[in-house]
């Protein structure tokens, strides 16, 4: 199956695209786009991969679902388009960056600037129905994103994985902490973050210190 995705990812994921489950997933998603309001727009479905090639990936952040509100999702986890109100989880991410690194609070919630520096912003499920969080779970996306994580774990060394919340941590069990730098904390959503365990995790400075020690360019968070 010919999937339009960045070349270095396509080379590694082509065997996945040939699997029967992926053909079923494509048929399901195509039908959903025809009959429902689905986010992100189809052309941005693989935006996380297109903006952050496999060969340039240094940091991986795992999300769960795209945002399900109109105009929000742009194919990068936790990210929204320019001009869109910054969602509560992303506000807490920016607050932690502010506390951790002393950086000013951004005007835009568009995280393309992170992706272009080598941060893979990967949702476990790449599509969602408007107003229905979790609506596209259980149709094959999770198997696909597991394959992505497996390739990163097996074929690269010295990546930083940021696993926020139980869902991401469960999904990240296949990551080898001896090969990669794995950081875990509570999820930045208000209900979770305000109960303790998100603020003060210092994940952003820790990630940069690790990259610097490896002789790699730090991320401009």
């Amino acid at each position: 199956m010919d999937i339009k995705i960045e070349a270095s990812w396509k080379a590694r994921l082509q065997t996945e695209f040939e699997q029967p489950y992926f053909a079923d997933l494509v048929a399901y998603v195509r039908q959903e786009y025809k009959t429902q309001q689905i986010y992100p727009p189809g052309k941005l479905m693989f935006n996380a991969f297109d903006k952050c090639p496999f060969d340039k990936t240094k940091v991986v952040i795992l999300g769960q679902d795209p945002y399900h509100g109109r105009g929000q999702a742009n194919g990068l986890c936790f990210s929204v388009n320019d001009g869109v109100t910054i969602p509560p989880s992303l506000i807490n991410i920016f607050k932690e960056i502010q506390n951790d690194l002393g950086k000013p609070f951004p005007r835009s919630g568009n995280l393309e600037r992170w992706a272009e520096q080598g941060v893979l912003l990967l949702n476990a499920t790449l599509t969602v129905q408007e107003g229905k969080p979790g609506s596209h779970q259980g149709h094959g996306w999770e198997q696909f994103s597991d394959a992505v994580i497996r390739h990163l774990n097996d074929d690269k060394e010295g990546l930083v994985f940021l696993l926020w919340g139980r869902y991401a941590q469960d999904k990240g069990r296949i990551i080898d902490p001896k090969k990669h730098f794995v950081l875990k904390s509570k999820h930045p959503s208000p209900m979770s973050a305000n109960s303790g365990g998100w603020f003060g995790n210092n994940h952003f400075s820790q990630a940069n210190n690790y990259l610097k020690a490896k002789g790699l360019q730090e991320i401009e968070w």
Side-chain angles (χ1 to χ4, degrees), residues 58-60 62 149 153 158-164 168-185 201 203 206-207 210:
K58 298 189 289 189
V59 179
V60 182
L62 289 183
I149 295 167
N153 179 69
L159 293 175
V160 180
F161 284 90
L162 303 182
L163 307 180
W164 300 334
Q169 289 161 24
D170 286 346
K171 197 166 180 69
R173 284 178 180 167
I174 58 177
I175 300 161
D176 183 354
K178 294 177 183 175
K179 283 182 70 180
H180 305 286
F181 187 43
V182 180
L183 293 170
K184 301 176 183 180
S185 79
N201 67 26
H203 278 189
Q206 288 189 69
Y210 180 81

Side-chain angles (χ1 to χ4, degrees), residues 123-183:
N123 275 317
T125 303
L126 299 192
T127 53
V128 71
Q129 264 191 42
E130 182 177 40
K132 294 184 179 178
S135 50
H136 281 190
Q137 291 175 8
H139 291 277
W141 278 132
E142 294 90 344
Q143 188 172 338
F144 173 72
S145 50
D146 279 349
V148 171
I149 295 167
R150 222 171 352 256
H151 276 289
L152 290 164
N153 179 69
D154 295 349
D155 301 344
K156 292 180 83 78
E157 252 180 66
L159 293 175
V160 180
F161 284 90
L162 303 182
L163 307 180
W164 300 334
R166 183 177 296 172
Y167 185 89
Q169 289 161 24
D170 286 346
K171 197 166 180 69
R173 284 178 180 167
I174 58 177
I175 300 161
D176 183 354
K178 294 177 183 175
K179 283 182 70 180
H180 305 286
F181 187 43
V182 180
L183 293 170

